[in-house]
Amino acid sequence: MHTSPVRRRRLGVAAAAAGLLATLLMAGPAAATPDPGDTAAAPTGVSAAQRAEATAAIRSGEVPGVDEIVHSDNITHLANVPKDALKGLNTDLAFQGKYAFAGNYDGFRIFDIGNPRSPKTVAQVLCPGSQNDISVSGNLLFLSTDSSRSDNSCSSTTQPATEKSSWEGMKVFDISDKRNPKYVAAVETACGSHTHTLVPERKNVYVYVSSYSPSATFPDCQPPHDGISVIKVPRDAPEKAAVVNFPVLFPDGGNPGAPENPGVSKTTGCHDITVLPSKDLAAGACMGDGLLFSIKDPENPKIIDRVQDNVNFAFWHSATFNQTTDKVVFTDELGGGGAATCNEEIGPKRGANGIYDIVGRGDHRKLVFRSYFKIDRPQADTEVCVAHNGSIIPVEGRDLMVQAWYQGGVSVWDFTDSSKPKEIGYFERGPVSTDAVTTAGPWSAYYYNGYIYSNDIAKGFDVLKLDDRRTDPAKRVRLDELNVQTQPEYFDR
């Protein structure tokens, strides 16, 4: 590991891959990574021009060498824990006390991060099912399954969604013994669970389940699929977990997508939801739409405002509030997490974050667009690069965020001025290959109790230390638990 050489130019990779933009457009509206069963899609071959571009970019120093680690001066790479028993794609992260919980398409892994420089594996649980989006609350761990399975067990096999007996949805584990998690409940949900979000209460945990892409051929995922599943989980009796509502968020059907809005995903549900329970507020990233809604009644969320960006946003992927709840950052997963989109050909606005101010009061609040933010560090045309999961860095009076960009690496950026966001730090690896477009890089990058933790799809679990006068005050903030999609109130107001 070492500090990156000086970049010759920002977002300076030559647009040698002339067919990339055409390929993205021909593929139709971008979608989140399609459910591939339990394995990643095979690497995609590249043209001679793309291969030459990647090789030339490495030789010139514009991008790191294959698997080379580079970073800004204010970031130190403390540790990497490679994959072990679970060989699938690494996915999301959750935290509790001195433990980190890491999702993987094959199950989940628990790390002891009491010493961030030397994380130790506490448990690895084999429980295959695409996504395995993960969160924790008290003694309960929640796991999303978004591939059609033969049953709800952890020994199930892939089975077509066209079969009525197939299962997908939410799984619940008891983690009171971190070394021996116990599978205690399962709830089937319409169209499975791509992601989920917790709304915790003292006696119950509500789970908002986001899923999409219905089909008339899927018995358990019928169109229209224009809402979310709400599950109620009693803490003392999780085996009684059940769906208690399916609120319709898009009574008009949502964004119609193509041909009315070419290059934009048709809304058939939500991809991800972030809640701020202390403010009774939620933001939804829902394919072709961005939402702001009230969760005063968690079983019956109420839409406050809805926005679209039919020029530059292909797929509304995730959302993050700032600490004063007057801004929200939405991400665009252009290319579905399977394409090289951080280059001159795509440009700085497509596949970017959209920063919105929240103006007004109560149920009259509105989302007002201010600017885009996209990393401008050049990425090779063989690197899958996309805006992905990140979290707030808690510094009072500033809006700072750390975010994963797949092979674009980890970005630390400042959006205190919502019209002029800027990157202030980064960590990344060079291309996995110059011969194929391969899915790799950080899926999630989150700030927790003084460190940045990243779950790299291919390379494993990384720990980073950020030393910067702008972010150093965050080191004093300590949490007992963190699920990033359930944002805490960092400072009493």
Side-chain angles (χ1 to χ4, degrees):
M1 70 189 75
H2 62 81
T3 302
S4 168
V6 175
R7 302 288 183 176
R8 287 170 171 78
R9 48 187 170 139
R10 304 298 282 181
L11 199 55
V13 178
L20 177 61
L21 183 57
T23 300
L24 286 172
L25 294 176
M26 288 173 61
T33 307
D35 302 332
D38 302 317
T39 57
T44 306
V46 297
S47 67
Q50 286 174 295
R51 189 178 301 113
E53 175 280 324
T55 301
I58 291 172
R59 287 175 178 170
S60 71
E62 286 184 328
V63 301
V66 172
D67 284 341
E68 180 186 6
I69 291 177
V70 296
H71 53 81
S72 53
D73 290 336
N74 55 0
I75 287 181
T76 304
H77 187 202
L78 296 183
N80 171 261
V81 185
K83 292 181 186 180
D84 190 8
L86 306 177
K87 303 299 186 183
L89 280 71
N90 283 331
T91 61
D92 212 1
L93 294 168
F95 304 90
Q96 187 180 84
K98 67 172 186 175
Y99 298 100
F101 304 82
N104 178 286
Y105 269 46
D106 286 335
F108 64 93
R109 190 172 183 178
I110 302 177
F111 294 100
D112 182 334
I113 54 172
N115 178 1
R117 294 179 179 273
S118 182
K120 304 296 183 185
T121 299
V122 173
Q124 296 191 74
V125 176
L126 180 65
C127 197
S130 294
Q131 289 290 118
N132 277 338
D133 189 42
I134 195 167
S135 58
V136 294
S137 184
N139 288 330
L140 299 179
L141 180 147
F142 301 84
L143 206 63
S144 287
T145 299
D146 196 30
S147 61
S148 186
R149 312 295 301 176
S150 57
D151 56 52
N152 64 9
S153 74
C154 283
S155 58
S156 66
T157 57
T158 299
Q159 182 170 291
T162 52
E163 295 188 24
K164 176 62 180 173
S165 63
S166 295
W167 183 94
E168 50 187 319
M170 287 299 308
K171 295 169 181 170
V172 185
F173 291 78
D174 184 321
I175 53 168
S176 51
D177 180 354
K178 301 294 189 293
R179 297 186 179 277
N180 295 286
K182 296 179 180 179
Y183 185 14
V184 296
V187 181
E188 186 171 15
T189 54
C191 302
S193 175
H194 196 74
T195 66
H196 68 270
T197 303
L198 303 187
V199 184
E201 296 184 335
R202 187 170 63 87
K203 293 184 177 181
N204 303 296
V205 180
Y206 286 98
V207 185
Y208 290 169
V209 176
S210 296
S211 56
Y212 52 91
S213 295
S215 169
T217 65
F218 299 162
D220 299 319
C221 183
Q222 290 283 301
H225 183 73
D226 48 15
I228 58 174
S229 297
V230 180
I231 299 173
K232 184 178 181 179
V233 185
R235 290 189 185 276
D236 294 338
E239 69 278 2
K240 295 182 180 179
V243 174
V244 293
N245 196 12
F246 187 87
V248 174
L249 303 181
F250 304 98
D252 66 351
N255 197 317
E260 184 175 335
N261 296 318
V264 178
S265 289
K266 173 181 170 61
T267 298
T268 61
C270 288
H271 179 276
D272 209 348
I273 291 169
T274 292
V275 297
L276 195 55
S278 64
K279 303 293 187 182
D280 294 325
L281 203 61
C286 302
M287 304 182 74
D289 294 89
L291 298 180
L292 185 69
F293 52 100
S294 167
I295 57 169
K296 287 181 181 178
D297 178 355
E299 290 189 22
N300 297 281
K302 178 183 176 182
I303 301 300
I304 295 173
D305 195 25
R306 169 180 157 195
V307 290
Q308 297 177 354
D309 180 344
N310 295 321
V311 176
N312 289 311
F313 257 51
F315 189 94
W316 296 68
H317 175 274
S318 53
T320 303
F321 289 105
N322 71 336
Q323 295 165 83
T324 52
T325 329
D326 57 6
K327 299 172 191 170
V328 62
V329 175
F330 289 103
T331 67
D332 177 18
E333 194 182 41
L334 175 67
T341 66
C342 298
N343 51 35
E344 286 183 339
E345 188 172 9
I346 300 302
K349 295 182 179 180
R350 300 180 66 234
N353 296 325
I355 304 166
Y356 286 74
D357 285 353
I358 302 173
V359 301
R361 295 180 177 275
D363 291 349
H364 298 289
R365 282 173 284 192
K366 296 292 182 183
L367 293 165
V368 179
F369 174 77
R370 291 303 185 204
S371 66
Y372 297 105
F373 171 78
K374 185 176 181 179
I375 58 171
D376 61 359
R377 289 171 284 108
Q379 306 297 315
D381 282 343
T382 60
E383 292 185 275
V384 171
C385 178
V386 68
H388 225 244
N389 294 353
S391 76
I392 289 295
I393 299 175
V395 175
E396 198 159 14
R398 300 187 75 97
D399 294 323
L400 304 168
M401 187 170 173
V402 58
Q403 184 179 2
W405 285 80
Y406 275 26
Q407 288 187 75
V410 173
S411 175
V412 179
W413 59 290
D414 186 329
F415 63 104
T416 306
D417 182 341
S418 54
S419 64
K420 295 180 180 179
K422 59 183 179 181
E423 184 172 78
I424 62 173
Y426 68 89
F427 168 90
E428 67 169 291
R429 291 178 170 90
V432 172
S433 169
T434 57
D435 297 322
V437 178
T438 305
T439 299
W443 178 290
S444 301
Y446 299 145
Y447 190 92
Y448 177 68
N449 289 355
Y451 297 88
I452 293 171
Y453 296 91
S454 170
N455 211 17
D456 189 291
I457 294 167
K459 301 298 182 181
F461 183 70
D462 286 308
V463 185
L464 309 177
K465 187 170 184 284
L466 176 63
D467 293 299
D468 190 293
R469 60 179 177 76
R470 293 163 291 191
T471 61
D472 283 347
K475 295 177 181 179
R476 297 192 292 268
V477 177
R478 288 291 182 267
L479 299 175
D480 295 326
E481 191 172 272
L482 177 64
N483 301 294
V484 167
Q485 287 74 33
T486 306
Q487 284 191 224
E489 182 80 50
Y490 285 105
F491 305 105
D492 294 331
R493 291 185 178 87

